[in-house]
Amino acid sequence: MYNKKTITNVLAVLMLGFLASCTELDFYPHTSVAPESVSERDMDALLHGMYNAVQNNQGRESYIMFDLVGGNLIGASGGSELAFIRNIMRTDYNLVNNNWSGLYRALYQVNNVLSIMADQPASEKRERMEGVAHFFRAYIYYNLVTRWGDVPLILENTTERVSRDPAAQVWQQIEADLAVALEKAPTYEGDYYYVSQQAAQALLARILIGQNKMEAAAQAAEAVIALPMFSLDRFDKIFRHQQNREEIFSFKNLTEESSITLSTLFYTYAHDVSGSYVYKPTDAVMTLFDEGDNRKDISIATVSALNVINKYPSGQTGTDPFPVIRLAEMYLIAAEAKGLEGLPRLNELREARDLPAIYPTTETAYQEAVALERRRELLAEGFRWYDLVRTGKAVEELGIEPYRTLFPIPDYEREVNPNLTQNDDY
């Protein structure tokens, strides 16, 4: 997101900690600079460092975790999809542990910013930073609650061994944080690599449909669709680093400061930009797109007889931006939340992707069409597993046991913090 000099400077400003104990939720003492010594001249570095922490700390697989366990991706060597999912959703699996600890490290950085801002004189810059921080806290907790359900709700950094709070309380806090972001975050000024009030409105729509609050979700999504600064745009522009009007908020992932090297996981050494070929699209994904769908060649490809995800084109040559929220998702939220009355929104999206209109006549057929469109549109963007969970289809579609509709609390976290209970049946 920011240049190397800025990120280096952050080490003396952002990573201000008083945290030091044995649990991953406490993390590490970062510097001797005291929070009370921060002044307004340090705020830009503080803000930049917060972006960097939220972008990077969760790890690259976090962005595609719901594709990995949702039937979209499998190990490059192939094998059983169910066995692949079960292997990831283990209490001792490193990706699960790294995802949990990375999200909480990012949370502690966000809470740190909010704590510092509380002691700063009132100003427009302070207010904007508070708005961005509340957006990020909502985003982080969305990632936590959709994976693990009940999770520790930490609004002020602590060295205590915390317990898990009910998921309903976490969802409530997410909505409260977004309410602050809607009030205080900067307005959108054409750069989707920065958090805005409009991004908060879009994230709210995702939060609401995640809780099956359909009427409110439709209203929130429609409010974003109505905004004049966004419109459905060419699919290749979104995923080939071209300015577009569809992205609402994205992480830029500049090579010099980002560890989110997604495309190296997908491309092969036979590709022009090379890659490690860790994951490949499942067979179902390779037959997902209709002929004429302009998403197909951008989303998937076959290189030297090996199937690859094609959305992130840099390979080993660099990093790629990652679209956190874009307008197509709002069309799909509105379409799903309205039921059959949302068919015009679904067909508008299909038209933008060069597909003909469809006219399902039953609610069941309609929702299946929406789900299919979501899978096509949002492939390898981190949606599939939770889409199946929240609609009650995960067990049937994936063949998983019911308890795997939640992730396991990592073993290490429970070893260092006995107050963390495990999800049932793990």
Side-chain angles (χ1 to χ4, degrees):
M1 176 72 191
Y2 301 97
N3 62 46
K4 188 178 294 184
K5 181 178 178 181
T6 299
I7 297 304
T8 301
N9 291 340
V10 166
L11 296 177
V13 180
L14 171 69
M15 304 179 85
L16 309 168
F18 57 88
L19 311 170
S21 77
C22 62
T23 168
E24 281 287 312
L25 287 180
D26 300 331
F27 308 123
Y28 320 103
H30 297 300
T31 179
S32 60
V33 180
E36 57 268 20
S37 70
V38 175
S39 66
E40 185 169 352
R41 69 176 180 272
D42 302 313
M43 284 188 180
D44 284 342
L46 192 68
L47 178 67
H48 298 170
M50 179 170 60
Y51 271 87
N52 183 269
V54 178
Q55 170 187 276
N56 287 305
N57 284 2
Q58 61 184 298
R60 60 184 178 180
E61 269 93 351
S62 177
Y63 290 93
I64 57 169
M65 184 64 79
F66 289 171
D67 293 278
L68 292 173
V69 296
N72 279 346
L73 300 175
I74 193 170
S77 60
S80 164
E81 293 175 20
L82 180 56
F84 178 76
I85 294 169
R86 286 173 174 166
N87 184 57
I88 291 175
M89 299 184 79
R90 297 189 340 242
T91 62
D92 62 346
Y93 197 67
N94 67 317
L95 288 185
V96 174
N97 182 69
N98 293 344
N99 197 188
W100 169 286
S101 63
L103 286 166
Y104 271 106
R105 283 200 306 274
L107 174 69
Y108 267 54
Q109 300 286 34
V110 171
N111 282 346
N112 204 34
V113 169
L114 287 170
S115 176
I116 292 169
M117 288 302 100
D119 293 330
Q120 296 297 308
S123 69
E124 184 179 353
K125 178 173 283 190
R126 168 188 160 173
E127 185 167 286
R128 291 198 304 268
M129 285 187 62
E130 287 174 336
V132 172
H134 281 281
F135 173 93
F136 279 141
R137 190 159 71 183
Y139 169 74
I140 290 166
Y141 265 115
Y142 171 80
N143 281 286
L144 287 165
V145 74
T146 53
R147 286 161 170 78
W148 288 282
D150 300 347
V151 292
L153 189 56
I154 303 172
L155 304 183
E156 295 182 3
N157 291 345
T158 179
T159 59
E160 298 296 320
R161 288 182 170 87
V162 294
S163 301
R164 299 170 70 189
D165 293 292
Q169 188 176 339
V170 178
W171 284 110
Q172 185 177 21
Q173 181 60 45
I174 293 170
E175 291 191 40
D177 278 318
L178 286 177
V180 178
L182 282 165
E183 177 186 353
K184 293 186 174 183
T187 58
Y188 182 81
E189 295 183 352
D191 192 337
Y192 40 76
Y193 295 123
Y194 291 89
V195 169
S196 64
Q197 292 177 2
Q198 290 73 18
Q201 178 69 35
L203 183 57
L204 178 61
R206 182 188 298 177
I207 299 309
L208 292 168
I209 204 165
Q211 301 172 79
N212 291 315
K213 296 181 178 179
M214 294 304 188
E215 182 176 356
Q219 291 174 354
E222 287 292 350
V224 179
I225 293 170
L227 293 171
M229 66 278 290
F230 304 117
S231 60
L232 295 174
D233 212 333
R234 280 173 33 199
F235 205 71
D236 62 319
K237 291 170 68 175
I238 301 165
F239 293 100
R240 292 300 181 264
H241 306 189
Q242 298 178 43
Q243 186 67 28
N244 63 84
R245 292 173 55 84
E246 186 165 322
E247 290 178 71
I248 298 172
F249 174 64
S250 298
F251 286 123
K252 196 166 189 178
N253 294 334
L254 291 178
T255 301
E256 62 265 28
E257 51 84 28
S258 176
S259 60
I260 310 304
T261 52
L262 275 177
S263 61
T264 62
L265 299 174
F266 298 131
Y267 285 149
T268 75
Y269 283 110
H271 197 282
D272 291 343
V273 294
S274 296
S276 302
Y277 201 49
V278 180
Y279 308 114
K280 67 178 181 180
T282 60
D283 291 342
V285 166
M286 294 306 296
T287 60
L288 193 60
F289 296 92
D290 293 340
E291 289 302 317
D293 191 329
N294 61 37
R295 296 168 295 194
K296 182 178 180 179
D297 291 341
I298 297 296
S299 299
I300 56 175
T302 300
V303 179
S304 297
L306 296 175
N307 298 329
V308 300
I309 293 291
N310 201 33
K311 277 187 170 179
Y312 310 105
S314 290
Q316 294 183 337
T317 65
T319 56
D320 297 288
F322 184 85
V324 177
I325 311 171
R326 54 191 182 87
L327 192 65
E329 183 191 354
M330 298 300 106
Y331 275 77
L332 289 163
I333 288 174
E336 179 182 344
K338 291 180 178 182
L340 267 169
E341 293 183 3
L343 180 59
R345 288 301 188 205
L346 180 62
N347 279 332
E348 286 173 38
L349 177 61
R350 286 177 59 85
E351 181 181 9
R353 304 311 183 221
D354 292 336
L355 293 175
I358 58 172
Y359 300 97
T361 57
T362 68
E363 186 66 30
T364 298
Y366 174 71
Q367 291 296 345
E368 288 175 353
V370 174
L372 176 60
E373 217 58 59
R374 279 187 69 91
R375 190 177 188 186
R376 290 166 167 165
E377 182 71 30
L378 303 172
L379 174 67
E381 295 179 54
F383 287 90
R384 174 67 173 162
W385 177 81
Y386 190 64
D387 279 350
L388 293 172
V389 169
R390 67 179 178 79
T391 56
K393 297 177 180 177
V395 172
E396 177 185 358
E397 289 277 339
L398 301 175
I400 59 174
E401 301 85 349
Y403 71 87
R404 293 191 200 273
T405 55
L406 288 173
F407 279 50
I409 306 299
D411 281 342
Y412 177 75
E413 299 298 333
R414 299 188 67 233
E415 289 172 3
V416 298
N417 181 5
N419 292 336
L420 290 176
T421 57
Q422 183 57 275
N423 280 324
D424 291 344
D425 296 325
Y426 278 104

